[in-house]
Amino acid sequence: MNRNLVAGIIIGFVVSLFIIPLMFKIAAQDMLFKQVKSPYEFDKTVRILTQKISNQKGWHIVDVINQEEEIKKYGGPDVGHVKIIKFCNAQYAGEMLKNDDTKFMAVKMPLSIDVYEDSNGRVYISLMNGYLLTRMLSLTPESKIMQKVVSDIQNILGFLHFRYTIF
């Protein structure tokens, strides 16, 4: 085998060991989390979102956490308006948790969407990228349930023209 070819393969392998993790680190935020700007002010966004969740068949609000107050209450700094909406679909959760092999998914239940206002007064909704999770778990029982969840969340966020993507 040609020495240059072997050297090229070794160098390519070593460089890829550094480049691939670096690229993942750069893209991770956009891959793992989705953010969408709301056209409404903070309280109206929270109100619309909780209504949309409650109106989606099978879904209900578990809690709305005022993270701003929670942080202040326990001595933290003022972080501005941040609310975390916890919501669940009992049918999907029951399907997911009825088998021991999929009970580990309880760590992501109930689901969360947060609404926050940045320091410039812009309001955003952020959530985990369920589409990416569905792809990562493809061909597993939990993937089939997650596909239903992803579809429902896209319907809930339809007023913002939201669609899941990998990036």
Side-chain angles (χ1 to χ4, degrees):
M1 201 176 215
N2 185 342
R3 288 180 82 178
N4 289 337
L5 177 63
V6 171
I9 291 171
I10 291 171
I11 290 170
F13 178 73
V14 170
V15 167
S16 69
L17 288 175
F18 294 101
I19 298 293
I20 291 172
L22 178 63
M23 302 258 316
F24 182 76
K25 181 174 176 32
I26 291 169
Q29 181 177 347
D30 292 332
M31 288 175 62
L32 299 174
F33 304 99
K34 293 296 173 189
Q35 291 187 95
V36 60
K37 189 176 183 311
S38 173
Y40 308 109
E41 54 90 21
F42 181 80
D43 289 325
K44 185 173 183 178
T45 300
V46 172
R47 191 171 47 257
I48 290 171
L49 193 49
T50 55
Q51 288 171 347
K52 295 284 187 184
I53 292 167
S54 296
N55 291 337
Q56 181 72 30
K57 186 178 183 205
W59 291 92
H60 68 277
I61 303 294
V62 175
D63 196 8
V64 178
I65 301 167
N66 186 332
Q67 194 66 11
E68 176 183 18
E69 286 180 5
E70 284 293 313
I71 290 170
K72 285 181 189 176
K73 180 178 171 181
Y74 292 98
D78 184 359
V79 296
H81 295 315
V82 180
K83 287 193 176 177
I84 302 167
I85 302 167
K86 298 286 196 175
F87 61 108
C88 184
N89 180 307
Q91 194 66 35
Y92 297 159
E95 273 184 67
M96 188 72 76
L97 299 179
K98 70 181 178 184
N99 297 315
D100 288 343
D101 291 343
T102 54
K103 279 191 169 73
F104 70 93
M105 291 295 289
V107 73
K108 291 303 301 161
M109 294 179 191
L111 295 177
S112 298
I113 291 180
D114 80 273
V115 179
Y116 69 91
E117 185 176 271
D118 72 8
S119 57
N120 295 315
R122 293 177 297 232
V123 177
Y124 292 90
I125 294 171
S126 64
L127 62 157
M128 293 290 296
N129 188 347
Y131 178 79
L132 179 63
L133 185 59
T134 300
R135 295 292 141 241
M136 291 170 63
L137 297 173
S138 63
L139 304 177
T140 64
E142 51 273 17
S143 174
K144 290 181 173 101
I145 300 165
M146 287 296 301
Q147 287 173 4
K148 296 175 195 175
V149 171
V150 164
S151 177
D152 285 357
I153 292 174
Q154 285 185 152
N155 286 336
I156 290 166
L157 297 177
F159 74 103
L160 297 169
H161 309 291
F162 175 83
R163 288 286 173 252
Y164 278 113
T165 61
I166 289 192
F167 291 102

